[in-house]
Amino acid sequence: MTSNTKNEGYFELKTSLKGVFNLNVSSLSYEAQSIKIVIESNTSNIKKNIVLTPKVTELKEVVIQTRRPITVKKDTVVFDAKSFTQGNEQVVEDLLKKIPGLNVQSDGTIKIGNQEVEKVMIDGDDLFEKGYKILTKNMPVNPIDKVILYQNYSNNKHLKGIENSDKVALNLTLKEDAKRVWFGNLLLGLAPQSEIRHEIRGNLMNFGKKNKYYFITNLNNIGRDATGDISHLIRPFRIDEPSSLGDTQKAIQLINVNNELPNLSKKRTVLNNVKMISLNSIFTLSDKVKVKTLGFFNLDKTEYYKDAIQVFKIGNLSFQNTEKVIANKRPITGFGKLDFTYDISKSMTLEYTGKINHTDELNQSNLTFNAATFNENLQRNNELLDQKAVLTHKWKENKVLLLTGRYIDETTQQTYHINPFRFSDIFDDKASFTNQISKNRMKFMGIEAHIMSKKTQGNLWELKLGGQRRTDQLSSSFQLGNDEQEMFTKPQVFQNDLTYISTDVYLSSKNRFKIKQIYLVTQLDLHHLTNSLRDTTATSQTLSFVVPKIGLDWKINESHKVLSSYTYSTTNLETADIYKGYIQTDFRSFSKGLGEFNQLNASNAIVQYTLGNWSDKFFANIFLAYVKNYDFVSSSSIVTSNAVISEKILIKNRVYWSLSSNIDRYLTAINTNLKMVLGATKSSFQNRVNAQELREINNQMVEYGFELRSGFKGKFNYHVGSKWTSTQFRVNTNTANSFTNNLSFVDISLVLNDRCNLQLQAERYYFGNLAQARNTYYFMDFDARYIVKENKLTLSLAGNNLLNTQNFSNYTLTDISFTQTTFRLQPRYVMLKAELRF
């Protein structure tokens, strides 16, 4: 029996039993006692005074855990992946589109405001640098636990807390069951229509503590972009970053054919047959040594169909060209990369990057131009060897020395053939075809020393000393050929054979210091430039110049920030601007450069205002850029129906400005994120056409739109939006040519239960202010998925272009023409897919 103590401090027990009993007395925070009691008769009345000894009682720890969707820790923002998934995500890109503040553009580029992310890492390791789209477009989303955004990110770990970086990067952390084990997925899709469509996508990966492996393959002919822009993988480009020496160096390519595509997603416009494989590994050989290897192979065949009507109006001259193209492009790219990192000590690191690339591309076209039919053939070959070494020594807590050396050897060769001959109004020759063989070999060597010293209050002093040398060997041979006579004619003014060497020795001093709440940035660059040109004659140039820059970084408070800068720049002309002979640039155009050295001066100013932070429900960003070119390269052209011959000329005073803004607002009442964008650009410049006086050209474009994306946890979600684009050209004081286009879309997601979900997508394109037969286009897609076994097998049925819109017309304006181009699109298909996870 039990009894509780009464208010007076005693307790009472009654029993009719006799014998020996144990009386147990206990109380919280006191030591329990056991007292022996002997009851001899039913009338016994026993009293006891009991005093308990105090005792500290330790309770077991109780942990209450909750998952916060967004956690902010200084410069780090952590997004819980599960909080943003809605059940219909397949790859990482699908997840990132649903995270507020991340802007995933149609080509897969990820931006935070106006800033593109530097990289997308996996558990802190980077595999692809600026080529991260290969990762985000292929990696399955189910292993992702957190998406971490690093603000003020430093690519060099020794510069963290020293450099004043505005860069951002993403890190994908994995769930525990996805670490240190082999896992992956394989997706097979087939659309058995008259023209069979297929999609095969596979991922195999193991992310261990020391070694990481990630293998990707993608084979499809449904227009799916498997890589993004490959050039971002081969040539990652960073602006104004320590050790970015040589990032802007690239061999020039003179001819581009059949690259125009309408403003639609690639799944509608690209008629492809891609085969891609990427093998990527990270080996941690010791606490000091890490090696990364990347192997990439891409084989594609892209078909291209277009019909174009181009209406020219130049002064009193007007005419119309018609063009019909049936073409295909077959690029083959093989790329290899090795990164070696050696931590010599805790404060010193040596990094080496070696890259090699080989690309072969064949372009073939059957082209009908103004009722005349001919064949066009372009073969392109590119070979790249790129080696870079960086030694970083942080000899004090606030002082860093970087030594950078780089060597690049790149060759681009193009062979362009047109048959039959079609330039009888330019060349007095009985030719039957034309050839042009062009080659540019570019060699770059550079070395740079960079010292950074962080002072009190965040003040930073930088000194950079370096030298770089670029050598271009450019040759082009335009030939008129005759099949019957087996002979070639080489018009003299259509030949080039030059060597252009530019050497730049520079010293740069930069200071960032605080004045109350404002950081003021001053920079002064001294350049000593030597140019040398050898073609038919030899010329040289030596000069020195100064590039000043001033900036202001004002953090008004935690929610309001202003960043601004002004630069007076001097830019040296490149090889593409100075060659003397004409070069054919497409089937009806020839162009030549200035034929001499020169430098271009300009003023550049930017202002950026940011309102809010990641943890706020309201975030806005406004970016304004202004450029005044005191000297710029324009053109003087002779335009006829059959050909365009132009040469570059130097003109004074071109003005360009750009405004871009975006607003993110989370509407709590309806669990929806609102995005609004507004952008505008305007430029004014001069050129000359058909020997007229210089013409004043004014071009402006305005973009504005909105998106609403819901974040419901129920069965239904939506993503709707609309965007308008207005373009206008005005020549001299003539009436402007202009039009306004609109894109509207609705995406509906239905999660019927834990196993079944459905996505519906609809798009509407409208072209305004133009006299065309059709100005509105509609598209509709669907994707239904059924999970047969969770994390094992998923079946899906996908329909593309259900309304079977087979052609799409695109409209463009220039200062001399209006063009209507009609493209063939991916036809309607319904594809059955099976995804196996293992």
Side-chain angles (χ1 to χ4, degrees), residues 157-158 341-345 347-351 390-392:
K157 64 182 179 181
H158 294 299
T341 303
Y342 174 41
D343 289 324
I344 301 171
S345 65
S347 60
M348 185 181 296
T349 299
L350 174 64
E351 298 172 283
V390 181
L391 177 66
T392 307

Side-chain angles (χ1 to χ4, degrees), residues 703-753:
E703 293 183 335
Y704 50 95
F706 72 92
E707 293 182 26
L708 288 167
R709 186 189 290 273
S710 65
F712 306 143
K713 284 300 180 183
K715 298 180 180 298
F716 170 79
N717 274 283
Y718 64 87
H719 180 205
V720 300
S722 192
K723 183 178 180 180
W724 291 263
T725 304
S726 296
T727 303
Q728 181 186 92
F729 270 96
R730 184 185 297 273
V731 180
N732 296 331
T733 58
N734 295 338
T735 304
N737 293 320
S738 64
F739 62 84
T740 300
N741 299 337
N742 172 251
L743 162 64
S744 299
F745 65 90
V746 178
D747 297 345
I748 301 296
S749 174
L750 297 173
V751 181
L752 304 179
N753 53 48

